[in-house]
Amino acid sequence: MSKSKRARSRKVRVVSKVTKATVRKSVAHRKGGNSKQDHVLRLLRRPSGATIENITQATGWQSHSVRGFFAGVVRKKLGLNLQSEKTDGERVYRIAGGPAGTKSAASSGT
């Protein structure tokens, strides 16, 4: 018969997994402005704004992905004030001013 392995204690196994997970190096953050995200943000910062169709053509994303990007990245992650306005049957999106949630004293009613 072969020798049986000695079972390591549960605590030792857990510790070894944790140390392996924390050893991973984080990926360096991109400093360049050449990603699709940067391109979409440039389109949205234009005074004329951008439609979902403009962004799908520029990035190759589908329209539902663009809407998800607006909600998840532009509004939640970056905290930008994304405004939409419907003109001539097309909805135009643009980033207005600073981060969302910052209101002037005049608009807050105080």
Side-chain angles (χ1 to χ4, degrees):
M1 289 192 167
S2 64
K3 294 181 181 179
S4 62
K5 283 188 175 180
R6 220 182 201 185
R8 293 192 294 176
S9 70
R10 183 176 179 95
K11 187 176 181 181
V12 171
R13 284 183 286 183
V14 171
V15 169
S16 67
K17 287 181 183 177
V18 170
T19 56
K20 287 179 186 176
T22 57
V23 170
R24 293 181 190 152
K25 294 181 180 178
S26 62
V27 178
H29 215 354
R30 292 179 55 160
K31 296 285 184 185
N34 205 16
S35 66
K36 287 183 181 181
Q37 176 176 328
D38 294 326
H39 187 62
V40 171
L41 292 175
R42 277 195 301 271
L43 290 173
L44 292 172
R45 285 191 172 110
R46 294 185 307 187
S48 61
T51 63
I52 288 182
E53 186 178 338
N54 296 138
I55 295 171
T56 57
Q57 290 173 354
T59 60
W61 294 344
Q62 295 184 0
S63 59
H64 66 273
S65 299
V66 174
R67 288 187 209 95
F69 176 80
F70 288 167
V73 176
V74 176
R75 287 189 171 129
K76 290 182 182 175
K77 184 179 175 189
L78 299 177
L80 298 174
N81 186 7
L82 183 68
Q83 294 181 340
S84 74
E85 140 185 331
K86 198 167 190 177
T87 55
D88 299 330
E90 276 192 323
R91 188 160 296 276
V92 177
Y93 296 88
R94 66 179 55 86
I95 295 174
T102 57
K103 295 182 180 178
S104 65
S107 65
S108 64
T110 56

